[in-house]
Amino acid sequence: MLELSSEATRLAGILLLAAVTIESGGWYLTRIARGAVPATDFQRSFARAGHGHAGMFVTLGLLTAVLTDATSLDGFAAWVARSGVPVAAIVMPAGFFFSSLGPGRTTPNRLIWLVWIGAAILAAGLVTLGVGLLTA
């Protein structure tokens, strides 16, 4: 039987529930695709990117939650390894969604920086976990 730490168990539960919110985002995307929600081509592409990144990162976050328990990481390093991808699952998609808000928008606004902050958080989590696994 796989035995998970309380941190991994809690995070996995949160991520599985978060997947339901991503599912509702998919419903919103179908409304955009049907023309029920007015959107420019730019806004459609950023909505798809935000939705896709959120779903993929939540799935990857489940894996990092479990794999962190296979390392000897502790403290802040364990937190970064376990939580980096799930935090990126919030920050990076938020950058896609919030930077494309507004009627008729065809270019991102200043909130595009959230995409790059999310990418840095993602890299920190993955590198920390990768090094932790290689040195376990």
Side-chain angles (χ1 to χ4, degrees):
M1 177 171 154
L2 177 64
E3 204 167 310
L4 297 177
S5 66
S6 61
E7 294 89 353
T9 302
R10 190 175 312 112
L11 182 56
I14 290 167
L15 290 172
L16 288 169
L17 293 174
V20 177
T21 67
I22 297 166
E23 181 181 11
S24 66
W27 173 76
Y28 180 72
L29 279 178
T30 64
R31 295 188 66 223
I32 291 173
R34 289 191 319 260
V37 176
T40 64
D41 287 341
F42 161 73
Q43 290 169 320
R44 279 190 219 54
S45 67
F46 264 46
R48 282 191 305 269
H51 182 71
H53 281 83
M56 189 270 300
F57 289 157
V58 163
T59 304
L60 181 59
L62 285 166
L63 187 60
T64 63
V66 172
L67 286 176
T68 301
D69 283 358
T71 71
S72 58
L73 296 172
D74 62 357
F76 184 69
W79 183 85
V80 171
R82 183 176 283 115
S83 303
V85 174
V87 170
I90 297 167
V91 177
M92 189 179 285
F96 285 113
F97 296 132
F98 293 144
S99 70
S100 63
L101 285 179
R105 181 166 291 283
T106 58
T107 59
N109 63 30
R110 291 183 187 159
L111 291 175
I112 191 69
W113 63 268
L114 288 170
V115 172
W116 306 115
I117 297 293
I121 294 168
L122 174 68
L126 291 175
V127 167
T128 302
L129 179 56
V131 170
L133 287 167
L134 290 172
T135 59

